[in-house]
């Protein structure tokens, strides 16, 4: 009998989690809709909805009066059942951009608050800064502290989950061992950390040109640095210590060369773009301004973009030769500023570099891709945790 009771609890939990999963995605479903989606009986669906409603996870949001008989109740996930926060921390150098951008979304994915701020991490402890940022998000949205179930952090570096340490990061204080557990303890919630370019790829998979691709490589051309994300069938390749995609470190001269060691960052990073602009008479105080100026000046655009694209092709040719992705996405502020002009130049440069056949596209995301990806990753974590908690509580 105990075994039968346990099996019954598990089955009930599976039914509830299946129904909740459907309501989290399309939402606005009737009992009949859920019965078709889950293949459960009408009495079972009714009991499942009762339990989910009593738990505060599901609400009745309306009635369907377009059918004969009694009006059917329409159900949707309760947006206030849980929230996810996303915080993007940037290595901004001299670009003047906000160093922290953050947002808070509810269980349906609706953004309830969004803030930007400049924080001097030379004089502000990262833990203190991030706790304050999340508190500001909660205050703006009017959300209780206990409802924020997950905070997703995006950083210009790699996260070693085993050591719980951020590596290859230039933002002061963020490479300190033990920082991430300290932040989680101070916030009293789960904290996820990922490379900013990986999170941009999460957004590209969900919202951009990578939506229907079998897999893709995303090359991030930022104001300061560059990075690579590798999506394989919707799963990101992170490597043993989270360092996959740190393409800026790719050496271009052998160690025994008589020339100074050069890596891809030296060719395509922010300082290199500024220098390239000066060489071609393109004005601009930041890499973004240089690329925007070149894109708006047909006389300067040809030669500048040809040289920039040849440099980009050096890194992309190696990536394509090893991974053979069906799609390469150019993303980041520099790629967006270059737009179709840069895309045409890079496509031509790749053809000259090697007989490689990957399609190249520019991202179609016109918002902050890292922040959007962090929201998507955080929301997925919150939803999975809710579904898992239903099963665990019934076990």
């Amino acid at each position: 009998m105990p075994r039968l009771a346990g099996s019954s609890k598990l089955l009930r939990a599976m039914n509830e989690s299946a129904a909740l999963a459907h309501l989290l995605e399309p939402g606005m479903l009737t009992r009949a809709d859920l019965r078709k989606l889950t293949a459960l009986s009408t009495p079972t669906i009714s009991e499942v909805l009762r339990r989910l409603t009593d738990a505060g996870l599901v609400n009745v949001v309306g009635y369907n009066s377009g059918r004969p008989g009694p009006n059917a109740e329409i159900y949707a996930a309760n947006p206030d059942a849980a929230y996810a926060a996303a915080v993007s921390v940037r290595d901004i150098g001299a670009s003047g951009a906000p160093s922290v951008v953050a947002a808070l979304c509810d269980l349906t994915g609706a953004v309830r608050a969004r803030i930007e701020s400049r924080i001097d991490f030379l004089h502000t402890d990262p833990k203190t800064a991030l706790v304050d940022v999340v508190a500001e998000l909660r205050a703006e949205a009017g959300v209780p502290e206990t409802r924020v179930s997950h905070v997703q952090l995006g950083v210009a570096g790699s996260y070693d989950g085993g050591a719980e340490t951020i590596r290859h990061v230039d933002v002061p204080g963020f490479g300190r061992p033990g920082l991430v557990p300290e932040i989680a303890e101070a916030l009293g919630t789960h904290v996820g950390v990922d490379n900013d370019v990986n999170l941009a790829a999460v957004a590209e998979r969900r919202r951009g040109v990578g939506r229907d691709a079998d897999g893709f490589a995303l090359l991030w051309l930022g104001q300061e640095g560059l990075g690579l994300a590798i999506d394989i069938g919707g799963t990101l390749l992170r490597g043993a210590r989270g360092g996959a995609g740190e393409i800026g470190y790719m050496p271009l001269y052998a160690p025994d060369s008589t020339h100074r060691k050069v890596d891809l960052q030296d060719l395509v990073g922010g300082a290199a773009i500024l220098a390239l602009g000066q060489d071609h008479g393109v004005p601009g105080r930041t890499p973004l301004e240089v690329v925007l100026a070149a894109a708006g000046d047909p006389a300067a655009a040809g030669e500048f973009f040809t040289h920039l694209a040849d440099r980009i092709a050096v890194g992309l040719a190696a990536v394509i030769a090893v991974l053979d992705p069906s799609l390469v996405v150019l993303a980041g502020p520099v790629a967006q500023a270059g737009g179709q002009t840069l895309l045409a130049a890079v496509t031509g440069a790749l053809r000259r570099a090697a007989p490689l056949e990957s399609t190249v596209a520019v991202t179609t995301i016109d918002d902050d891709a890292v922040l959007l990806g962090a929201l998507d990753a955080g929301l997925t974590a919150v939803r999975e945790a809710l579904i898992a908690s239903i099963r665990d509580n019934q076990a």
Side-chain angles (χ1 to χ4, degrees), residues 17-32:
S17 58
L20 180 60
H22 286 296
L23 287 164
L24 286 170
E25 288 300 331
M28 307 293 285
L29 301 173
T30 64
R31 283 186 178 87

Side-chain angles (χ1 to χ4, degrees), residues 7 65 67 70 82 123 130 155 212 245 258-259 272 288 315-316 325 347 369 374 385:
S7 299
S65 57
R67 301 177 182 177
H123 301 95
L130 296 185
V155 292
D212 299 320
T258 56
H259 299 283
L288 182 60
L316 277 186
T347 300

Side-chain angles (χ1 to χ4, degrees), residues 5-371:
S7 299
S8 176
K9 288 183 178 181
L10 178 59
L11 182 60
R12 184 167 60 197
M14 291 173 63
N15 291 340
E16 291 173 8
S17 58
L20 180 60
H22 286 296
L23 287 164
L24 286 170
E25 288 300 331
M28 307 293 285
L29 301 173
T30 64
R31 283 186 178 87
D33 295 329
L34 282 168
R35 184 171 58 81
K36 292 177 182 178
L37 290 169
T38 62
L40 297 173
S41 68
T42 298
T44 300
I45 281 293
S46 296
E47 175 63 12
V48 164
L49 287 171
R50 184 192 67 78
R51 293 178 64 86
L52 290 175
T53 302
D54 290 347
L57 299 177
V58 168
N59 290 334
V60 176
V61 295
Y63 298 88
N64 188 345
S65 57
R67 301 177 182 177
N71 293 343
E73 293 176 327
I74 300 175
Y75 293 86
N78 176 10
D80 296 316
Y83 293 82
V87 183
S88 172
V89 179
R90 298 153 169 187
D91 173 20
I92 60 169
S95 69
S99 53
V100 171
V101 182
L104 184 77
C105 72
D106 63 28
L107 192 57
T108 68
V111 175
R112 297 289 191 91
R114 180 166 174 167
I115 60 175
E116 297 184 354
S117 63
R118 288 190 59 81
I119 298 173
D120 181 1
F121 286 111
L122 285 172
H123 301 95
T124 305
D125 181 73
K127 181 183 75 173
T128 301
L130 296 185
V131 169
D132 289 345
V133 165
V134 174
E136 185 177 349
L137 285 173
R138 289 192 295 99
E140 182 175 319
V143 171
E145 182 178 359
T146 56
R147 290 296 177 90
V148 180
S149 302
H150 186 93
V151 175
Q152 183 67 45
L153 179 61
V155 292
S158 58
Y159 182 60
D160 185 341
E164 295 185 307
T165 301
I166 302 171
R167 306 189 188 281
H168 307 126
V169 60
D170 292 328
V171 183
F174 277 83
R176 186 176 79 233
L179 173 64
V180 176
E182 289 174 15
I183 295 171
E185 183 179 4
L187 289 172
T189 190
H190 298 285
V191 173
V193 186
D194 208 344
N195 170 261
D196 53 355
V197 182
N198 280 344
L199 292 173
V202 170
E204 201 68 49
R205 163 63 68 180
R206 187 177 180 88
R207 308 163 184 258
V209 294
R211 185 185 294 111
D212 299 320
D214 292 337
F216 61 89
L218 183 143
L219 179 66
W220 181 268
L221 301 171
Q223 288 261 55
E224 299 297 323
L226 64 155
L228 180 76
I230 305 158
D231 175 297
I232 302 175
T235 299
L236 288 171
L237 179 63
R238 291 184 170 86
R241 289 167 294 279
E246 292 290 346
I247 196 172
Y249 295 109
M250 180 187 292
L252 303 179
Y253 287 145
D256 58 352
S257 170
T258 56
H259 299 283
R260 180 179 68 87
K261 179 180 177 293
V262 175
D263 56 31
L264 195 60
Q265 175 72 21
D266 294 322
L267 287 189
V268 194
I273 292 176
L274 282 173
L276 191 63
Q278 291 176 353
D279 291 343
H280 291 86
V282 181
R285 295 168 299 174
T286 67
L288 182 60
E289 289 181 1
V290 169
V291 175
L292 284 171
D297 182 1
E303 194 171 344
F304 171 83
F305 279 116
T306 296
H307 281 83
L308 178 59
D310 283 339
R311 295 181 177 195
I312 292 171
V314 171
L316 277 186
V319 170
I320 296 172
V322 173
L323 298 176
D324 189 25
S326 61
L327 175 67
V328 173
V329 181
L330 303 179
V334 169
Q336 289 175 303
Q340 295 301 310
T341 303
L342 178 61
L343 173 61
V346 170
T347 300
L350 278 172
R351 288 173 181 164
R352 293 191 297 272
L356 304 170
E357 299 182 358
S358 294
T359 299
V360 184
V362 175
T363 180
T364 56
I365 296 175
D366 56 6
D367 198 350
D368 188 317
V370 176
L371 183 65

